[in-house]
Amino acid sequence: DIALLRNELDMLRCTDHPNIIQFYEIFQDDDNFHFVMEYCEGGDITTMIEKNGPCNEARTKEIIFDTLLAISHLHSTG
C-alpha cells in the first residue's frame, strides 16, 4: 500500500541517529520507486561476516549494542 510506504518513509526522513541510515527522498516513475539514501560503505552485517569471517565476542557486543540503541531511539520517537 503506497500510503503506508509513504508514512514509513516520512517517519524515517525525520529520524536522525548515527546507527540508522539517513533517508532523504523518494521519487516515483511509471514503473519504480527510487530512494535517495545515505551512502553506507561496506554493506550489511551478512556481507561483513562473509567477507571477514565470524566476529569475535567484543565486536559482536558492539554490533548488538548499536542495534539496540537504534531500536531504542525509534521507540522513543514513537
Side-chain angles (χ1 to χ4, degrees), residues 5 10 12 14 17 20 34 37-38 40 48 57 60 75 77:
L5 175 64
D10 286 341
L12 189 56
C14 297
H17 191 274
I20 300 173
H34 304 275
M37 302 180 85
E38 172 184 15
C40 292
M48 184 184 78
E57 184 177 345
T60 301
H75 281 275
T77 60

Side-chain angles (χ1 to χ4, degrees), residues 18-37:
N19 297 325
I20 300 173
I21 191 168
Q22 185 67 45
F23 169 77
Y24 298 111
E25 192 60 67
I26 183 171
F27 300 97
Q28 181 180 2
D29 60 25
D30 292 336
D31 300 315
N32 299 295
F33 290 99
H34 304 275
F35 299 90
V36 180
M37 302 180 85

Side-chain angles (χ1 to χ4, degrees), residues 48 53-66:
M48 184 184 78
C55 299
N56 62 31
E57 184 177 345
R59 181 65 181 130
T60 301
K61 184 172 92 174
E62 289 174 9
I63 292 168
I64 291 171
F65 185 76
D66 288 345

